[in-house]
Amino acid sequence: MRRPAPGKQSVELTCPVCDAFLPAEVRTEARTRRTSAVLLVLAALSVIVFFVAFAYAVHEGGRTLPEGQSLPVLFPVSILSIFVTFAAAPTLFLRGRHYNGVTMLDAPKPRRMHGIKPVRG
């Protein structure tokens, strides 16, 4: 597929399974590489936050507190961060590795069943 020089370009693709015509946007090669790099950096930051939050939760959760004293406010935040980054890191990594700069605009149902290949002219 030929990419536009500046900005993005609307194209029409066809689904190899059901032969439906699918409108899509194609972004430039530079924009595609930049978006992919940003997603991979966010995945790396999510991994770092995961390990820092996990270490903090283990440190604070393993302490014996005096009677009537509760855990710091940051403890529940670290637990929430663990769960969020546990899901976000692999999602961002896979999305960044497989991002191709092509976005389907308004596909007929079922959306997930459509493949993308260029329309032969």
Side-chain angles (χ1 to χ4, degrees):
M1 177 179 306
R2 185 171 286 168
R3 295 195 178 267
K8 57 188 172 188
Q9 176 183 1
S10 294
V11 296
E12 190 173 84
L13 308 172
T14 186
C15 177
V17 177
C18 66
D19 291 327
F21 292 106
L22 309 169
E25 279 184 352
V26 180
R27 300 200 185 276
T28 63
E29 186 67 33
R31 177 69 179 213
T32 300
R33 275 189 266 118
R34 195 171 343 148
T35 302
S36 179
V38 166
L39 290 171
L40 291 174
V41 167
L42 288 175
L45 289 175
S46 293
V47 169
I48 292 168
V49 169
F50 174 80
F51 283 114
V52 168
F54 187 77
Y56 179 79
V58 168
H59 173 71
E60 288 295 327
R63 289 190 341 180
T64 304
L65 298 174
E67 188 70 33
Q69 188 178 0
S70 63
L71 288 169
V73 175
L74 204 53
F75 182 74
V77 173
S78 69
I79 298 298
L80 181 64
S81 298
I82 290 170
F83 286 111
V84 169
T85 57
F86 184 76
T91 303
L92 289 168
F93 178 74
L94 291 175
R95 182 74 173 139
R97 294 282 296 174
H98 299 292
Y99 183 74
N100 61 4
V102 178
T103 305
M104 289 197 318
L105 296 176
D106 188 28
K109 302 288 186 207
R111 284 184 71 102
R112 295 190 187 272
M113 301 302 291
H114 296 293
I116 296 178
K117 75 173 187 180
V119 174
R120 305 268 184 229

